[in-house]
Amino acid sequence: MKRIFKLFMFAVLYTILNVVCVFADNTADTQDEPRTVCEKNGTVYTPVHDQEGNWCYSVQRMEYWGDWLDSYEVRTEIDGIPVKIVENMEAIGKLILHNNIEYIDHMAFAETGLMEINIPDSVRFIGKEPFVRSHLKKVTIGNGMPILKGNIFSMCSYLEEVIIKEGVKEIREWVFSYDNNIKRITIPASVTYIEGNSFNLTLKGVKIYGYKNSYAEHWAKARGYQFEPIGTVEDKSNDIPVMTTPQINGNQMSVSIKEPLTGLWDGYCYEVSKIYKHLDEDYNMIDTSFSRKYCIYTNKAQPAVFRYLPSGSYYIQCRGYRRTESGKEYGAWSIPALAKITSKISTVPKFVKAKVTKGTGNTRNLTITLNNSKKGSYDCVLGKTKTSIELYEKALWNTPYKSIVEKKPADYAYVKKNLTKSTVTFKNVKPGTYYFGAHAFQRYGGKKNFGQWSTPIKVVVK
């Protein structure tokens, strides 16, 4: 489809250019309104208006307009009018841009043979997926965009070296997703946050060049990358919370702060995000993004305990918060940590029916039937009351957080353990009102790994 579009555009532009093009080696147009300039190598400079309404030039080159160029240097201006925009640029190995360029267009280098580019500091805007599936091997990124975000360099499978210049502050998710061959990354001291999945999860043997005591050093060590110092900066790690190594027990994950920042925060916000590397049946998508998130707020340095997490790989990060009149005020995120859960969550037993029969004396026998078709093991109780426990806040793909609450029996009166059949009988139960609940388990390392409680069912024994 893209090639058909190119052929169509070539036919149209060929007709137009035969009329309005002024070749670079001809006398410049003296009229007030600039005209399209076409170089003999097929590069076309088209006059357009910038955001302030002033004339500027955009540059483009389609592969059908000229032969392959090993290197090409974009003009800074034409007859005093600056070149500010880069559009489709094809059949070029190395592109040289100067500090006049302000905008790189949507899909400008997508699926091209471009191998190297230095994005100057003057570039303030980049369109959607400008380098996707290009042959880019080396990229230098200027500081015109303090926050890098979106799929700017996604699916650049040839990319080996990334140099980020001083002034860039954050690297958000997906910027370098699916780039499996990166070997060298230079990260400046100005970077204070790197999203957990900004770089592909399968990177191996990567060397990080950065400043000792910087965020880049802490991030590289947390990810297990080799770090090569290129200088030293003041250590500001005290502003960033440091987490303990996540502890995994079945489907439960526990994490806390190593050294609480006393007096700085009222508590901490922990976020656990599931990573999808393959097809996710829930969302019918392939992604390494945070498609499902779990969040817990703790007071002071209390540990955060995430229960009933599905099997898979997760990123864990936290940040401090303080309460203000306008709401919560947050600090910087910690370095994301990686954890993996291998056990599967047990299916929640479902109540079917209850039957009361005569017991000894004034007591009764209570038989509960469950939908236990998978023949899993479970424990169950009769409680005198019921209670609700807030587990965490949960968000699915691009949805707001929602509180997840577990309801379970409380004030246990009768308990049955290690059951496998679909029926359970509590003998000699005293008359009264009870709440029945069950939770299945699997054994890992000799310990019970419980699934979530079934919804409490009110049972009246007369």
Side-chain angles (χ1 to χ4, degrees), residues 90-353:
E90 301 186 10
I92 297 174
K94 179 180 179 180
L95 191 66
I96 301 173
L97 303 177
H98 297 284
N99 269 323
N100 52 293
I101 301 298
E102 296 181 358
Y103 179 69
I104 296 177
D105 199 11
H106 164 67
M107 303 286 283
F109 303 95
E111 303 180 16
T112 69
L114 182 72
M115 293 183 287
E116 183 176 346
I117 189 172
N118 185 335
I119 300 175
D121 297 341
S122 57
V123 173
R124 296 178 294 164
F125 308 99
I126 290 184
K128 184 179 179 181
E129 299 180 347
F131 300 95
V132 64
R133 289 186 293 273
S134 70
H135 285 211
L136 199 62
K137 290 186 176 180
K138 179 180 179 180
V139 59
T140 301
I141 305 170
N143 58 26
M145 296 178 297
I147 299 177
L148 302 179
K149 55 185 177 180
N151 300 336
I152 301 178
F153 301 100
S154 63
M155 289 180 274
C156 294
S157 57
Y158 299 93
L159 186 58
E160 295 181 354
E161 183 172 7
V162 176
I163 300 174
I164 302 172
K165 295 175 67 175
E166 190 71 31
V168 175
K169 297 179 180 180
E170 297 183 13
I171 306 173
R172 298 282 181 83
E173 58 185 3
W174 306 331
V175 176
F176 298 94
S177 60
Y178 303 102
D179 298 346
N180 298 323
N181 293 310
I182 298 178
K183 300 294 185 294
R184 298 172 298 279
I185 307 173
T186 300
I187 303 176
S190 57
V191 169
T192 57
Y193 180 63
I194 300 176
E195 192 90 33
N197 61 345
S198 54
F199 291 90
N200 202 43
L201 302 173
T202 58
L203 290 180
K204 296 180 180 179
V206 180
K207 181 178 285 188
I208 307 299
Y209 295 85
Y211 290 84
K212 190 173 180 58
N213 299 328
S214 69
Y215 182 95
E217 180 184 18
H218 297 295
W219 176 79
K221 291 181 177 179
R223 293 291 295 268
Y225 297 151
Q226 183 180 351
F227 181 78
E228 186 72 28
I230 57 177
T232 303
V233 295
E234 180 185 355
D235 189 355
K236 296 183 178 180
S237 59
N238 288 335
D239 297 336
I240 302 174
V242 178
M243 296 183 300
T244 59
T245 301
Q247 300 298 310
I248 306 298
N249 180 17
N251 296 92
Q252 179 175 295
M253 180 188 302
S254 302
V255 65
S256 61
I257 300 296
K258 281 187 176 180
E259 297 182 7
L261 305 178
T262 305
L264 185 59
W265 307 113
D266 295 325
Y268 294 89
C269 169
Y270 293 84
E271 188 175 85
V272 170
S273 305
K274 188 172 184 182
I275 302 161
Y276 293 107
K277 297 182 183 179
H278 306 292
L279 180 65
D280 175 23
E281 296 178 356
D282 291 344
Y283 303 99
N284 191 27
M285 63 183 293
I286 299 176
D287 208 344
T288 55
S289 67
F290 296 166
S291 296
R292 184 183 286 121
K293 296 183 178 182
Y294 307 86
C295 177
I296 288 179
Y297 286 88
T298 66
N299 293 323
K300 303 300 181 182
Q302 294 175 342
V305 181
F306 294 86
R307 296 178 173 87
Y308 315 129
L309 294 178
S311 59
S313 297
Y314 293 86
Y315 272 121
I316 309 97
Q317 55 187 356
C318 75
R319 56 180 174 173
Y321 71 86
R322 66 172 64 91
R323 298 180 181 88
T324 66
E325 293 182 357
S326 57
K328 289 186 176 71
E329 179 181 298
Y330 295 94
W333 283 107
S334 65
I335 304 293
L338 186 64
K340 190 172 185 178
I341 290 178
T342 57
S343 58
K344 295 182 179 180
I345 296 180
S346 298
T347 304
V348 178
K350 293 184 179 179
F351 175 87
V352 177
K353 62 181 180 179

